[in-house]
Amino acid sequence: MYYDNIIKFDLEGLIKTKKRIQGIVIGCIMSTILTATVAYATVGKKTAEIFYNNIKIFVNGAEITTKDANGKVVEPFTMNGNVYLPIKAVGKAFDKDVAWDSKKAIVYLGKKDQNQPDNYLDRIQYSDYLPGSQENSIHNIKGTVTDYVGNDYHNGYLFTGRVFNIQTVEIPINMQYTTLKGKFSQIEKAEIIGKKGTVDNYGKRRLLAEIYTDEVLVYKTPLSSQSATFSFEVRIKNAAKLTIKIRPEEEGNVSGSDVWVALTDLALYK
């Protein structure tokens, strides 16, 4: 019987049952202990006895059923005093991505690269369109927005408004992340849900982009008309909620042409 991509857990006092299968475990068995990582360099074939004992798995008190990518139940088994579980099923139970590189014989649990984001802000609170009044609204960028120098963006939020008071979006992050990276930019063109066309930001409007963690201001940058894109990095450790505001630099209502501002590439890191 062939098993690959499995997690190994040590058990003491294992009771052998009558249900017993003798087979050949082929290839390299890559194992990860929950409390520590142990690497084995064994490559080749081994003959071993595999035991099934109707093993059940509980994660935080809730039972899970281990299945493969096709939805077929894969039963855990024991071998040489150890219990082996399908790594994809266990990774899913702990909300971890699992990838298998067959050429390099590597299992990736979680992200492959430490520079890879753990999540994206607009995926946490997804909404195609957040309507406002007097043409002020917030759109989830599902499509393409383009800034004044021709850069395209395909994710994040687009803030739009004619009489641009304060535009606000709040996202719960539940103290799971330490860093937010992203970009602010004034947008010339948009082809997304709820908004399509070209805007003329000729009004020399100066705006402020602000980021708050639990109501505390942690980042602010001016956004002048047809300005370049601003990249930012903000520490958000222990924050339960993020609030993003786009406001006129001058207090009160400011009349003029439409203004479109995009908040894009919103990468979250733990």
Side-chain angles (χ1 to χ4, degrees), residues 123-135:
R123 294 180 185 177
I124 296 176
Q125 180 172 299
Y126 181 85
S127 176
D128 284 332
Y129 179 60
L130 303 177
S133 61
Q134 299 182 19
E135 300 185 10

Side-chain angles (χ1 to χ4, degrees), residues 17-230:
T17 65
K18 294 181 180 179
K19 187 177 180 183
R20 166 172 157 173
I21 295 178
Q22 183 175 15
I24 299 177
V25 179
I26 304 174
C28 176
I29 299 178
M30 290 158 291
S31 305
T32 304
I33 301 176
L34 283 180
T35 55
T37 301
V38 180
Y40 295 89
T42 303
V43 177
K45 298 180 179 180
K46 286 186 177 182
T47 300
E49 289 184 326
I50 297 175
F51 298 88
Y52 289 87
N53 192 28
N54 192 26
I55 298 169
K56 299 183 184 300
I57 305 170
F58 287 79
V59 176
N60 295 326
E63 185 177 359
I64 65 169
T65 301
T66 53
K67 298 180 180 180
D68 63 18
N70 298 318
K72 183 180 179 181
V73 175
V74 180
E75 187 177 351
F77 63 89
T78 63
M79 183 178 66
N80 297 328
N82 300 304
V83 173
Y84 292 80
L85 309 176
I87 194 171
K88 276 194 174 182
V90 175
K92 183 179 179 180
F94 286 95
D95 197 25
K96 295 289 185 181
D97 292 330
V98 178
W100 163 243
D101 188 330
S102 58
K103 293 182 179 180
K104 297 181 180 180
I106 297 176
V107 174
Y108 294 98
L109 183 60
K111 56 186 181 181
K112 295 181 181 181
D113 185 348
Q114 288 300 312
N115 294 321
Q116 177 184 347
D118 294 285
N119 206 343
Y120 290 89
L121 192 63
D122 51 315
R123 294 180 185 177
I124 296 176
Q125 180 172 299
Y126 181 85
S127 176
D128 284 332
Y129 179 60
L130 303 177
S133 61
Q134 299 182 19
E135 300 185 10
N136 293 340
S137 57
I138 302 170
H139 306 258
N140 190 286
I141 301 175
K142 189 177 181 182
T144 302
V145 297
T146 306
D147 66 18
Y148 279 87
V149 293
N151 295 317
D152 291 337
Y153 306 99
H154 307 283
N155 61 76
Y157 298 100
L158 176 64
F159 298 77
T160 71
R162 178 173 295 277
V163 180
F164 220 113
N165 290 319
I166 299 175
Q167 297 281 52
T168 301
V169 61
E170 295 182 347
I171 304 100
I173 56 174
N174 301 319
M175 297 178 285
Q176 295 186 52
Y177 305 98
T178 64
T179 304
L180 169 66
K181 296 181 182 180
K183 299 173 183 176
F184 282 108
S185 182
Q186 289 211 21
I187 297 300
E188 181 182 22
K189 301 176 183 178
E191 292 188 7
I192 63 173
I193 292 175
K195 181 66 67 175
K196 183 177 181 179
T198 302
V199 69
D200 183 3
N201 288 334
Y202 68 82
K204 298 182 179 179
R205 183 84 52 79
R206 286 186 62 85
L207 303 174
L208 293 177
E210 300 174 340
I211 299 177
Y212 296 77
T213 57
D214 299 330
E215 313 303 332
V216 177
L217 179 64
V218 293
Y219 177 84
K220 179 169 69 174
T221 186
L223 296 170
S224 60
S225 180
Q226 301 187 21
S227 62
T229 297
F230 291 85

